[in-house]
Amino acid sequence: MKKTEYDLVIVGAGPAGLSAAIYSARARLSVLVLEEAAPGGQILVTDLVENYPGFPEGISGAELMMKISEQAQRFDAEIATEEVTGLDLSGPVKKLRLSGGEVSARAVILATGASPRKLGIPGEDRYYGQGVSTCATCDAPFFKDAAVAAVGGGDTAVQESLFLTRFVDKVHLIHRRDQLRATRILQERAFANDKIEMVWNSIPLEVKGGDAGVESVSVKNVKTGEESDLKVSGCFIWVGVTPNTAFLQGAVDLDENGFIRADQRMQTSVPGVYAAGDVRNTPLRQVVTAVGDGAVAATEASHYIENSF
Ligand code: NAP
């Protein structure tokens, strides 16, 4: 970090955090963006983003985030690789303890996003990285011409299963109901793809394997109670997301699912503290809504700083 005092600290460098950085740096605030991993967030591992306006042919998640990150830095937002290990947001000067020191700010935007939710079944942790995965772009090539299982019925499960079919021989898509939640266009593509086999009304019970990795996934049909084993060498789990809010330790109000409560101005329960993107209690978790949240949060934070100090 170049300084220890900033106008605004943004926690998280995904689409929401970086969009907030562009808006606040252009408002000439001194801005620090904290990111514990590489800038980009969850979208970084998405093969193709087709619904972000301005890219008629689609764009890879990694390329989109590289462009957004470059844009933020062009306007002098500082991005630091730091983990927030403690914080005091209650007073007019917000204090954040980091892995590499301490910083203070007049306003804070929380944009820490969400992470893939776990199923909590036996074998899931044991074989994570050895056949169990949440990232098709990272791991699909390991399953060339193999059969894999995928779990979930939302946009992620269907879009990523479609991506898997470029490599694998068969995707058994296990869904707990008999209708997908995913967007219609993705459903149509999945149903038209003969490498995707739907395993309807079913939940996975266990990921089984040996020393070399996953060998099967046992599934139960919730309608008939029948149990069976799918012979697969991989199991991709896409059953939604869980918000990255543990580090907050009660600093702002959360909803019943752990997402940060924020109003339409992205204001949280604490004055001068805003939330943006997937970590917020929002009805839609997309890049396009995250960047919108970031813009609103940055504008509101800028007004707050002007009026409060
Ligand atoms: P999601 O929309 O919450 O879907 C989660 C899926 O997992 C649902 O089908 C759900 O079943 C199933 N599920 C949840 N818990 C389960 C459990 N314990 N056992 C078995 N199945 C379980 O999550 P997502 O697909 O990760 O999407 C997250 C957000 O990102 C959404 O807002 C989505 O629109 C967005 N996204 C968009 C795109 C795109 O636009 N192309 C791509 C990826 C993600 P039920 O349907 O029965 O609830």
Side-chain angles (χ1 to χ4, degrees), residues 157-187:
V158 176
Q159 180 163 348
E160 299 303 304
S161 292
L162 285 162
F163 176 76
L164 281 175
T165 61
R166 293 195 212 161
F167 300 84
V168 305
D169 183 48
K170 180 71 71 191
V171 181
H172 299 277
L173 182 50
I174 304 164
H175 183 38
R176 62 185 178 184
R177 295 186 290 130
D178 62 0
Q179 265 187 341
L180 293 172
R181 176 180 294 277
T183 312
R184 277 296 163 89
I185 191 165
L186 293 175
Q187 295 195 25

Side-chain angles (χ1 to χ4, degrees), residues 51 119 153-156 159 175-177 181 239-240 285-286:
N51 51 7
L119 277 170
D155 283 334
T156 308
Q159 180 163 348
H175 183 38
R176 62 185 178 184
R177 295 186 290 130
R181 176 180 294 277
V239 291
R285 295 195 163 83
Q286 304 273 312

